[in-house]
Amino acid sequence: YAWGRNNAGQVGNGKTVAVYTPVKLPLQNIVAIAAGGKFSVALDRDGVLWGWGSNENHELADNNTKLFCEPVRIDTGDLKIKMIDAGGSFVAVVDENGILYMWGVNHENQLGFDSSGADVTKPHAVTELPLPVVYLAAYSSQTYVILSDGSLWGWGNNTYGQLGLGFRTASGKGVTVNKIYDEKPVVMVQ
């Protein structure tokens, strides 16, 4: 079920008009769901990733379609996805081996790697992480993960020091993958 602002089809009901009561979407056996800025993604029991809403930064498909007003299958290749999240205009998934894949907007390195500010149109592994990811949290333009040893890592926009690295960066100059904390095991980040 979904409802709310729908100017980019983010409710997934085939329209772009606000929805004030819950509407049932044509999806079944959903095990995880995440809402981005103007889009949503859902993972079904079979490991299929679905998405709807804005595709301005290739969050949902590698094509020029700007809006998907109904759920569409997102091409993730052969990934066996176990965890999902969505940032402002990007998607993050973790596979069964704890490898993090990301795609979408990357103007502040919120995907964990430098793409020279270009959108990333297909799942791309974040290879700088030394251990499997066990927890994932994506925000507007930052990403945080907890690795299997309990260490907290983060990257992306650090204009106000939100990555906890002891310094700030200029707007538009995001930070790539950094270890933030590892003194005691971290179990969750919000």
Side-chain angles (χ1 to χ4, degrees):
Y1 289 85
W3 60 94
R5 187 171 184 191
N6 198 27
N7 61 317
Q10 62 265 49
V11 169
N13 66 340
K15 300 174 183 169
T16 56
V17 177
V19 178
Y20 301 110
T21 57
V23 233
K24 185 171 176 45
L25 300 184
L27 297 171
Q28 295 181 0
N29 303 313
I30 298 302
V31 296
I33 192 163
K38 292 182 181 177
F39 71 98
S40 295
V41 290
L43 181 66
D44 73 19
R45 180 176 56 207
D46 297 323
V48 176
L49 188 64
W50 299 90
W52 56 95
S54 174
N55 190 45
E56 289 179 42
N57 300 105
H58 305 284
E59 301 94 322
L60 309 177
D62 180 17
N63 63 36
N64 291 324
T65 302
K66 296 296 181 197
L67 298 178
F68 289 99
C69 296
E70 295 178 315
V72 294
R73 186 179 182 145
I74 298 175
D75 181 8
T76 58
D78 294 331
L79 292 179
K80 294 187 179 2
I81 300 169
K82 70 172 190 175
M83 196 180 319
I84 65 172
D85 208 347
S89 296
F90 64 94
V91 179
V93 302
V94 177
D95 76 2
E96 65 184 356
N97 297 311
I99 299 172
L100 175 65
Y101 293 84
M102 302 184 74
W103 65 95
V105 73
N106 198 30
H107 65 280
E108 299 210 59
N109 293 323
Q110 56 264 59
L111 302 184
F113 51 87
D114 186 2
S115 66
S116 299
D119 291 351
V120 176
T121 61
K122 295 186 182 307
H124 184 281
V126 179
T127 58
E128 293 80 6
L129 297 170
L131 294 168
V133 173
V134 297
Y135 188 86
L136 166 65
Y139 296 94
S140 177
S141 56
Q142 302 89 18
T143 305
Y144 301 90
V145 296
I146 298 173
L147 302 186
S148 59
D149 66 352
S151 62
L152 175 64
W153 294 65
W155 53 87
N157 181 340
N158 193 42
T159 305
Y160 301 102
Q162 56 267 58
L163 294 177
L165 299 171
F167 61 87
R168 295 175 25 171
T169 53
S171 180
K173 301 285 185 190
V175 176
T176 54
V177 175
N178 275 278
K179 185 186 289 187
I180 297 173
Y181 182 83
D182 68 353
E183 291 181 28
K184 294 181 180 178
V186 178
V187 295
M188 180 188 282
V189 61
Q190 277 292 16

